[in-house]
Amino acid sequence: MTYRLAPIDTSTFTAERGASGTDVGDLTVIGSVVQRSDARGHVTGRTEFFEDVAPPRLAHLKMHRSARHHARILDVDLTEAVAVPGVLRILTHADIPNNLYTPLKLIGVGPDDEPVLAVDKVRYLGEPICAVVAETEAAALEGAARIKVTYEDLPPVFDVEEALKEGAPLVNEYHGQNHFIYEGHHCRRIRFGDVEEAFARADHVFEWRYQSAPIEQAPVETTGCVVVPQADGRLRIHSDTQACFFTLDNTALILETPFNTLRIVGGTVGGGFGGKVDVVVEPVACVAAMLADRPVKFVYDRAEEMQVSSPRAAERIIIKDGVMNDGRIIGRKVTLYVDAGAYSRHSPYGTTKAAAHLPGPYSIPNVWADCHCVFTNRTPSSAMRGFGVTIADFALESQMDRIARALDLDPLRLRLLNAYRDGDLKAHRKVAEGTALVEVIQKAAEMAGHELPEAYRRMSSTTREGL
Amino acid sequence: MPSQIVSLIVNGEQREFIAAPGATLLASLRESLGLTAAKRGCAQGACGTCTVLVDGRPEASCLVAVETVAGRSIRTLEGVAAGGELDEVQSAFVDCFATQCGFCTAGMIMVAEALLDANPEPSEEDVIEAISGNVCRCTGYRPIVIAVLEAARRRREQVVSR
Ligand code: FES
Ligand code: FES
């Protein structure tokens, strides 16, 4: 078997290790092999995913979705759809007890800004308008296809900077402007020292712009749930959510029901990567199950997964640095835009994470940042693997490489020179502790055969000596 | 088109059921026969999670109208090592960490079974070619390729490991 064990390198931070035989002395867990507890179920096909549940009398739910990016809804005609054989029920916004929500309400983020089913307006292509419940999947699809919506088009806005301009079309009326407000401020801000003064005395000033596209998590199992009404009136929800209790609480708020009337069976997720953190299928499936008094399955097809499930946000990041001839960065100014799409979902939080990550793992005495969470007529974006942080890192580390190239410096030495050390005050007024960037760079250099001069090899995260 | 009675040999057993018009082999296995190891990742032949063996050949069961395989022999993951002891492919997938979420696993294992039946000594390229129709979003494929090569080695040496 060619599975490789990574040996543990005990040469760094020796002072922080205890004697052999003590708990801190024998750090043996990382690098050791432990069989996955779920592997046997996976290789025998006995792991139960939500869609493997097949209650009798299962009904199927399919969505009629917006065909426009931004439009007023003038009329919804269900006549032909209700006549499709096998269609049991068609849900509109009027059937949802508490139609307006936002998932981070649970941690105090507001306002509620998203309808479960569209009311008078659609704000992105694919927004759900009506839910068709039918005996078979085919009948539900047929019913959904026969719903006729009359729209009055509104001008859409797709670009974050366009959206913030005066006179831009208003995407989300619940906010009243095209950006999220952070404690009375138009964006999440960092103010540390004086960047303008730093730029004035810097030997060089570099400003570059970075842009990322939205990224779909693309789990192999699509988002979905099966809701089964229980004899005692409670609902059992089999779901592939990544966040069982978060889903339960949000669903209860939307259903206007006590939390204990719902039960989630979950934890088995066929790939999530952040894409199954929003609460988008369970609430409407629960309403359908209650109204039809039957088990209901609502699962995205592959096209829905790609088009309407919330991706990683597109970000635009502009970084301006004041740099001395020796490579020391004395000022960093960052303007960052997160494209939340039409609704908040997890983006206000993602934008805060981006701000918290600035100016990267470097000690820079003057930092200024404006991080905007912007609403556009794009698919709502949300969580994905380190959202807020990953794209910021792409921009920050590209910036470091470009500075090194412009000044003809070794990119690793440039980073070692600017790397934060234990005890440094970060831009958010937190003292850095447990930093290990210096050692990681030294080790990476060694493994890659990249030569560092003795002075750089002697640097440490625990002291500013040698700087 | 009316529903019809279809009979298949599934994992060595004769099974008969009523197939709705247009029912796929995947839907029949999962919904009519309760064999849920094969998964629906895309329902359009693009991901391979629904792969089963039809007369020993891997097929995307989401694309197969069930009446077109009436009377044929179907093998699913439930039929691999049905006695409870893992076979070489299954045990190599466990030991080489070739599963993460597990959603692609049934399809991957069925493809690997077909490959090793036809070619007991596959090269790395053979393995990559064999799983090229199967999507895994979690593992990055490397552990799966390693596991299939390891399974081939175990099968050749008849190493049975649990
Ligand atoms: S479900 Fe059959 S190939 Fe994807
Ligand atoms: S293990 Fe998750 S898709 Fe392969």
Side-chain angles (χ1 to χ4, degrees):
Chain A
M1 200 168 67
T2 50
Y3 200 82
R4 258 186 306 154
L5 300 188
I8 303 171
D9 178 356
T10 52
S11 64
T12 49
F13 302 118
T14 42
E16 291 178 16
R17 281 171 209 280
S20 170
T22 67
D23 274 0
V24 276
D26 298 332
L27 301 172
T28 53
V29 172
I30 292 174
S32 65
V33 173
V34 179
Q35 192 184 304
R36 293 183 62 106
S37 58
D38 57 3
R40 206 184 157 87
H42 292 345
V43 302
T44 53
R46 292 176 68 173
T47 301
E48 188 180 83
F49 291 86
F50 87 88
E51 216 183 343
D52 299 337
V53 173
R57 300 183 69 237
L58 181 65
H60 299 260
L61 188 154
K62 289 286 167 189
M63 211 47 99
H64 180 90
R65 298 182 177 280
S66 164
R68 306 297 162 93
H69 295 289
H70 196 194
R72 223 175 287 291
I73 297 175
L74 298 183
D75 183 55
V76 178
D77 181 357
L78 305 179
T79 332
E80 275 189 37
V82 290
V84 171
V87 167
L88 299 166
R89 180 104 204 195
I90 300 180
L91 312 187
T92 69
H93 65 88
D95 294 301
I96 312 295
N98 188 3
N99 192 49
L100 198 63
Y101 81 111
T102 194
L104 286 179
K105 184 184 200 150
L106 294 163
I107 56 165
V109 175
D112 287 339
D113 70 346
E114 179 166 3
V116 174
L117 294 174
V119 182
D120 50 356
K121 201 182 142 171
V122 287
R123 299 179 176 84
Y124 68 96
L125 187 71
E127 179 160 359
I129 301 174
C130 298
V132 180
V133 189
E135 292 284 353
T136 63
E137 200 178 340
L141 280 170
E142 178 74 18
R146 287 183 183 270
I147 292 172
K148 289 203 181 77
V149 178
T150 314
Y151 299 98
E152 178 195 323
D153 281 314
L154 295 168
V157 59
F158 300 120
D159 181 273
V160 283
E161 286 179 89
E162 292 294 321
L164 293 180
K165 281 193 185 141
E166 192 130 350
L170 181 60
V171 174
N172 191 315
E173 290 73 11
Y174 301 105
H175 290 277
Q177 69 287 313
N178 287 341
H179 59 269
F180 187 81
I181 292 185
Y182 289 93
E183 289 105 34
H185 297 287
H186 67 293
C187 66
R188 190 55 95 189
R189 306 163 315 141
I190 303 170
R191 302 290 186 265
F192 184 60
D194 183 347
V195 278
E196 296 308 329
E197 183 274 330
F199 294 154
R201 73 187 159 84
D203 294 325
H204 310 271
V205 174
F206 299 111
E207 182 172 351
W208 286 297
R209 180 179 179 273
Y210 305 88
Q211 170 78 50
S212 70
I215 300 170
E216 166 56 34
Q217 298 84 356
V220 180
E221 177 204 45
T222 59
T223 303
C225 67
V226 172
V227 178
V228 189
Q230 304 294 288
D232 60 7
R234 303 204 306 166
L235 297 174
R236 191 174 75 222
I237 307 168
H238 298 263
S239 168
D240 61 5
T241 175
Q242 287 175 257
C244 290
F245 294 101
F246 184 73
T247 295
L248 187 149
D249 294 353
N250 268 306
T251 303
L253 292 178
I254 290 167
L255 300 185
E256 280 177 348
T257 173
F259 293 171
N260 67 3
T261 59
L262 304 178
R263 179 179 160 216
I264 298 239
V265 181
T268 301
V269 183
F273 321 111
K276 291 173 181 164
V277 174
D278 291 354
V279 185
V280 283
V281 287
E282 295 86 356
V284 74
C286 282
V287 175
M290 291 190 306
L291 294 181
D293 195 23
R294 285 176 62 159
V296 169
K297 174 155 87 175
F298 178 21
V299 56
Y300 281 180
D301 63 25
R302 180 52 54 187
E304 286 174 302
E305 192 68 37
M306 302 309 280
Q307 172 68 40
V308 303
S309 88
S310 51
R312 181 195 292 287
E315 291 181 39
R316 181 170 303 155
I317 305 175
I318 297 137
I319 308 177
K320 183 175 179 183
D321 288 339
V323 189
M324 304 310 282
N325 282 328
D326 65 0
R328 272 178 305 123
I329 303 171
I330 59 167
R332 172 164 281 177
K333 181 176 180 176
V334 181
T335 309
L336 185 149
Y337 303 93
V338 168
D339 187 345
Y343 297 108
S344 287
R345 302 278 179 98
H346 290 76
S347 289
Y349 168 69
T351 309
T352 296
K353 276 174 75 188
H357 196 61
L358 300 176
Y362 305 107
S363 279
I364 300 176
N366 302 287
V367 178
W368 181 104
D370 267 4
C371 301
H372 306 263
C373 174
V374 187
F375 300 110
T376 67
N377 293 107
R378 289 179 177 268
T379 307
S381 60
S382 204
M384 184 182 182
R385 318 191 87 179
F387 67 121
V389 169
T390 318
I391 305 299
D393 266 336
F394 153 71
L396 292 167
E397 297 310 320
S398 301
Q399 180 86 359
M400 296 303 278
D401 285 339
R402 291 168 96 168
I403 293 170
R405 226 173 294 139
L407 298 182
D408 201 19
L409 296 172
D410 173 355
L412 293 192
R413 282 198 244 168
L414 175 76
R415 286 175 171 87
L416 285 168
L417 205 58
N418 289 288
Y420 62 172
R421 269 47 170 195
D422 286 359
D424 287 356
L425 182 67
K426 297 171 70 181
H428 331 89
R429 318 301 197 272
K430 286 250 193 293
V431 175
E433 48 185 323
T435 66
L437 180 61
V438 171
E439 288 72 14
V440 168
I441 293 175
Q442 288 164 335
K443 189 78 193 170
E446 185 189 312
M447 291 171 81
H450 181 103
E451 290 221 358
L452 289 174
E454 174 64 16
Y456 286 84
R457 275 184 282 141
R458 275 211 314 271
M459 286 177 173
S460 160
S461 280
T462 57
T463 155
R464 297 200 68 82
E465 255 166 61
L467 282 172
Chain B
M1 197 167 71
S3 294
Q4 51 180 303
I5 295 172
V6 174
S7 123
L8 304 173
I9 300 158
V10 183
N11 299 326
E13 267 177 54
Q14 179 94 22
R15 301 289 300 266
E16 224 172 55
F17 56 94
I18 298 169
T24 61
L25 175 57
L26 177 64
S28 303
L29 290 169
R30 291 179 55 84
E31 288 155 31
S32 302
L33 300 177
L35 296 169
T36 55
K39 304 291 182 220
R40 175 203 57 86
C42 69
Q44 53 191 232
C47 74
T49 58
C50 64
T51 305
V52 300
L53 305 188
V54 179
D55 291 337
R57 277 175 38 99
E59 298 276 3
S61 63
C62 71
L63 291 185
V64 176
V66 71
E67 67 264 24
T68 65
V69 291
R72 311 263 292 274
S73 169
I74 311 296
R75 191 163 177 228
T76 71
L77 183 56
E78 287 95 339
V80 173
E85 193 131 319
L86 303 185
D87 86 343
E88 298 84 355
V89 179
Q90 291 170 315
S91 70
F93 266 61
V94 172
D95 295 340
C96 301
F97 293 84
T99 69
Q100 283 187 28
C101 80
F103 202 77
C104 69
T105 307
M108 291 286 184
I109 290 183
M110 295 323 290
V111 165
E113 296 287 352
L115 171 70
L116 299 193
D117 284 348
N119 177 2
E121 212 161 331
S123 66
E124 188 170 324
E125 286 66 41
D126 295 334
V127 175
I128 291 169
E129 173 67 28
I131 66 166
S132 63
N134 293 61
V135 174
C136 177
R137 185 66 162 152
C138 302
T139 62
Y141 300 101
R142 195 68 214 148
I144 295 176
V145 173
I146 291 170
V148 178
L149 291 169
E150 171 66 12
R153 193 188 65 79
R154 287 181 186 183
R155 196 165 280 188
R156 287 198 303 274
E157 294 180 9
Q158 296 189 315
V159 177
V160 179
S161 137
R162 248 161 278 176

